[in-house]
């Protein structure tokens, strides 16, 4: 049998995802270019702060996988990568504050410099849990890098976040790792999901259900 291949142009996957889901997006908060620029800024600052040190970068699945991938490729310090997965939503769209570990890191972090990488902080329950959990493992230092924060939704007082990409309004956001019901996660931008897509669910996303499932 003979197979013939044409030179027909194909649409890049990220562009196709944007086309398929554009009717569900109320507005684009941050474009692909704005995201890229912010990641570069964060990577530069982290590289300066950890110059001469070795870093353990802990990404929180699933939501941080795109952000972390872009971030670590721009770091100019020695580092290794670990992953964790957490959940505090269960079958609800509202966090209860009770966090459980689905996937833990596999290597000891004692006396290591550790950086937690999260896509979003909403209530702050997950990040507080991570601080307590990983801090008890005696790292040399423990810092956090979060791409998005929702100041109006924060419920944990004095939550320590060392590196922040953007503060955002209290909207359900998707794209660049953030999802709704496992959809929209691979959009190349960050957009606000139209309310009719998730109603009658709560309008508050997405710290654990969206990103750490």
């Amino acid at each position: 049998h003979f197979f013939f291949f044409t030179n027909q142009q194909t649409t890049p996957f990220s562009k196709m995802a944007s086309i398929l889901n554009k009717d569900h997006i109320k507005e684009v908060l941050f474009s692909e270019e704005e995201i890229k620029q912010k990641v570069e800024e964060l990577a530069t600052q982290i590289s300066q702060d950890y110059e001469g040190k070795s870093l353990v970068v802990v990404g929180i699945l699933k939501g941080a996988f795109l952000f972390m991938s872009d971030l670590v490729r721009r770091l100019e310090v020695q580092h290794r990568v670990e992953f964790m997965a957490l959940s505090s939503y269960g079958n609800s769209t509202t966090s209860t504050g009770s966090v459980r570990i689905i996937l833990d890191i596999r290597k000891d972090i004692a006396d290591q410099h550790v950086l937690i990488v999260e896509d979003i902080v909403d209530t702050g329950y997950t990040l507080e849990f991570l601080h307590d959990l990983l801090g008890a493992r005696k790292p040399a230092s423990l810092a956090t890098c979060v791409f998005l924060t929702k100041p109006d939704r924060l419920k944990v007082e004095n939550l320590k976040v060392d590196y922040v990409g953007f503060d955002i309004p209290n909207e359900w956001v998707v794209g660049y790792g953030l999802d709704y019901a496992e959809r929209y996660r691979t959009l190349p931008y960050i957009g606000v999901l139209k309310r009719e897509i998730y109603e009658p669910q709560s309008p508050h996303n997405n710290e654990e259900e969206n990103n750490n499932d």
Side-chain angles (χ1 to χ4, degrees):
H1 297 280
F2 296 93
F3 298 90
F4 297 92
F5 299 90
T6 69
N7 292 324
Q8 183 177 358
Q9 259 189 335
T10 58
T11 303
F13 180 77
S14 61
K15 185 176 181 181
M16 181 62 72
S18 300
I19 293 170
L20 292 175
N21 294 297
K22 66 179 182 179
D23 292 339
H24 297 176
I25 303 301
K26 175 183 173 184
E27 64 175 310
V28 174
L29 283 182
F30 306 109
S31 68
E32 193 169 0
E33 185 58 37
E34 288 173 316
I35 290 170
K36 178 181 177 181
Q37 181 177 342
K38 181 59 67 174
V39 173
E40 288 176 348
E41 290 174 6
L42 291 169
T44 298
Q45 185 61 57
I46 293 167
S47 296
Q48 290 174 356
D49 293 347
Y50 289 90
E51 185 177 0
K53 299 175 182 177
S54 181
L55 190 60
V56 180
V57 185
V58 181
I60 310 304
L61 299 173
K62 298 178 184 176
F65 83 107
L66 287 176
F67 173 41
M68 179 170 174
S69 170
D70 289 343
L71 182 70
V72 295
R73 285 181 294 171
R74 289 167 172 80
L75 291 180
E76 297 179 357
V77 294
Q78 276 194 335
H79 62 274
R80 67 178 172 90
V81 171
E82 294 281 352
F83 292 99
M84 296 185 70
L86 310 170
S87 177
S88 73
Y89 275 76
N91 295 322
S92 172
T93 56
T94 303
S95 175
T96 63
S98 177
V99 182
R100 63 191 179 95
I101 300 173
I102 298 173
L103 173 71
D104 204 348
I105 58 177
R106 298 185 179 185
K107 292 187 178 180
D108 187 15
I109 59 170
D111 301 319
Q112 304 288 310
H113 297 287
V114 177
L115 178 69
I116 300 168
V117 175
E118 268 272 41
D119 53 348
I120 191 168
V121 167
D122 187 339
T123 61
Y125 291 140
T126 295
L127 201 55
E128 181 183 48
F129 175 86
L130 282 167
H131 266 292
D132 293 343
L133 178 71
L134 298 183
R137 300 180 185 182
K138 308 297 183 184
S141 67
L142 181 60
T144 55
C145 179
V146 176
F147 198 63
L148 303 175
T149 64
K150 288 185 177 181
D152 292 341
R153 283 277 294 159
L154 191 62
K155 295 182 179 180
V156 178
E157 292 185 8
N158 302 317
L159 185 69
K160 182 175 180 285
V161 181
D162 300 277
Y163 306 96
V164 177
F166 300 103
D167 291 336
I168 63 170
N170 186 23
E171 300 273 10
W172 194 299
V173 293
V174 293
Y176 198 58
L178 293 143
D179 77 314
Y180 170 69
E182 292 298 334
R183 298 179 64 186
Y184 316 104
R185 199 186 291 278
T186 55
L187 291 175
Y189 55 81
I190 293 173
V192 176
L193 193 64
K194 289 182 178 179
R195 184 176 294 271
E196 58 263 32
I197 302 300
Y198 55 79
E199 283 190 340
Q201 307 280 9
S202 164
H204 305 307
N205 77 317
N206 14 21
E207 180 177 340
E208 291 84 6
E209 189 222 18
N210 253 32
N211 314 314
N212 305 333
D213 42 3

